[in-house]
Amino acid sequence: MQAAPNTYTVVLATQPTHNVIITPTSDTPAAATVSPGTLTFTTGTWNTAQTVTVTGVDDNVDQTGNGSATISHGATSTDAKYNGTSIANVTATVVDNDTAAVNLSPATVSVTEASGAGRTDTYTVVLAARPTHNVTITPTSDTPAAATVSPGTLTFTTGTWNTAQTVTVTGVDDNVDQTGNGSATISHGATSTDAKYNGNTISIASVTATVVDNDGAGLSINETGMPKETRVTEAGSGNTDTYTVVLDTEPTGSVNIAATFGDPAAARVSPATLTFTTSDYNTGQTVTVTGVNDSTDNPGGGREVSISHAASSTDPKYTIASGGSLRVTVTDGATTVTLSGAGSNMEK
């Protein structure tokens, strides 16, 4: 609490025979002080008023109502009439200027889902007035799947109430391709045996965290074996090869992937449709490519064909008409040529 300095005057009612010293004393110097410490009146200045200045002291405590101090006065003199004489008190009202509050800075933060720079951001918490007992502040994220906070509690004492403490906000990678960025609201609760800082008696602002999305819906098509290529023959050994398909992000509903050969007369795929759910979206599924013997001797001993992939889902992010293609080399198998009159067949 604090008040602007105020004054009152002191003067003797009659001329003393010797000097008179008046000593003003505040009974609550933590609330209000007085100056000067003594006033001296002589036989020549006894009727000249002297000024006492009362100054409020800021105690940084949110009081219930205003404070006060009583200023008493003592007199000493070799004039028996004035030595130890009874003097009235002055009452000083000290207007409180402190309000219990919790200050947060800044009110907004921004984090990313991706690891590395930008994954975390911070804000500070500090009390606006000195509490009478320890105060515990608990920050809580309303969406911990998007952003978390640490530490879980902050403790302010009567000695550290005005030392700001830091809260760290960390973005969480949800693997979901959002429409726009995510967000979390961080609320704050207070507990203390100081009624001004306890529970519902104090309202604390929230901090809004923007969580920048780093996920993009899509398919990853991975060729197996070494080297990384898909190659089959029309018949015999090497007739099959495989590749895997996996979703890049978690969908909000099941996703069907349809694999279609550009030339089904050259090769076929199995299964033709893959289904991913929200729980197995990140588990690769295998597609088997099988060459088809078309009995045609292709120039160069083979040909290249492509497998296209389309995704359909109730998740609009996974309604993808062109989800990527895969090139497949189909090598010709043996071709039988019949020679007229030879009585036998020869393999070309």
Side-chain angles (χ1 to χ4, degrees):
M1 57 188 174
Q2 186 177 34
N6 208 338
T7 62
Y8 65 94
T9 60
V10 180
V11 68
L12 303 189
T14 61
Q15 184 179 13
T17 59
H18 295 85
N19 287 357
V20 178
I21 298 174
I22 305 299
T23 303
T25 304
S26 169
D27 71 339
T28 313
T33 61
V34 292
S35 66
T38 60
L39 308 170
T40 300
F41 294 89
T42 70
T43 57
T45 62
W46 64 273
N47 58 349
T48 301
Q50 296 188 45
T51 300
V52 177
T53 300
V54 183
T55 304
V57 177
D58 194 351
D59 60 6
N60 295 307
V61 177
D62 183 0
Q63 309 270 11
T64 300
N66 295 320
S68 66
T70 299
I71 303 167
S72 59
H73 306 82
T76 58
S77 177
T78 54
D79 182 340
K81 294 289 187 179
Y82 274 103
N83 189 47
T85 190
S86 177
I87 307 174
N89 295 330
V90 171
T91 300
T93 298
V94 187
V95 179
D96 189 20
N97 75 331
D98 302 299
T99 302
V102 179
N103 295 330
L104 312 173
S105 180
T108 60
V109 296
S110 179
V111 297
T112 67
E113 292 183 1
S115 59
R119 182 71 176 273
T120 64
D121 201 354
T122 61
Y123 64 93
T124 60
V125 181
V126 69
L127 304 190
R130 180 166 60 88
T132 58
H133 297 83
N134 287 358
V135 178
T136 299
I137 305 298
T138 304
T140 303
S141 170
D142 72 339
T143 314
T148 61
V149 292
S150 65
T153 59
L154 309 171
T155 299
F156 295 89
T157 70
T158 56
T160 64
W161 63 273
N162 57 349
T163 300
Q165 297 188 45
T166 299
V167 176
T168 300
V169 183
T170 303
V172 177
D173 194 349
D174 58 8
N175 293 310
V176 177
D177 184 1
Q178 312 257 19
T179 299
N181 295 320
S183 66
T185 299
I186 303 166
S187 58
H188 304 83
T191 56
S192 178
T193 53
D194 180 342
K196 295 285 187 177
Y197 276 105
N198 190 46
N200 294 329
T201 61
I202 187 167
S203 177
I204 308 175
S206 298
V207 169
T208 300
T210 298
V211 185
V212 179
D213 189 26
N214 72 329
D215 302 300
L219 316 180
S220 288
I221 300 169
N222 301 303
E223 295 179 286
T224 59
M226 292 298 293
K228 296 289 187 180
E229 61 181 4
T230 302
R231 180 182 295 272
V232 296
T233 62
E234 291 185 356
S237 176
N239 185 228
T240 64
D241 201 351
T242 61
Y243 65 93
T244 62
V245 180
V246 68
L247 303 190
D248 293 337
T249 60
E250 181 182 350
T252 59
S254 294
V255 178
N256 293 320
I257 307 297
T260 306
F261 245 114
D263 184 357
R268 60 180 181 269
V269 293
S270 177
T273 302
L274 307 172
T275 299
F276 293 90
T277 68
T278 56
S279 59
D280 67 3
Y281 73 95
N282 55 352
T283 301
Q285 296 190 39
T286 300
V287 178
T288 299
V289 182
T290 304
V292 175
N293 194 346
D294 58 7
S295 300
T296 300
D297 186 6
N298 294 293
R303 51 182 160 164
E304 285 192 347
V305 294
S306 66
I307 306 173
S308 60
H309 303 82
S312 60
S313 175
T314 55
D315 181 345
K317 294 286 187 177
Y318 272 101
T319 300
I320 305 173
S322 180
S325 61
L326 180 73
R327 300 293 296 177
V328 179
T329 300
V330 183
T331 304
D332 277 353
T335 301
T336 301
V337 179
T338 301
L339 303 178
S340 178
S344 64
N345 295 331
M346 295 180 62
E347 285 190 352
K348 177 181 177 183

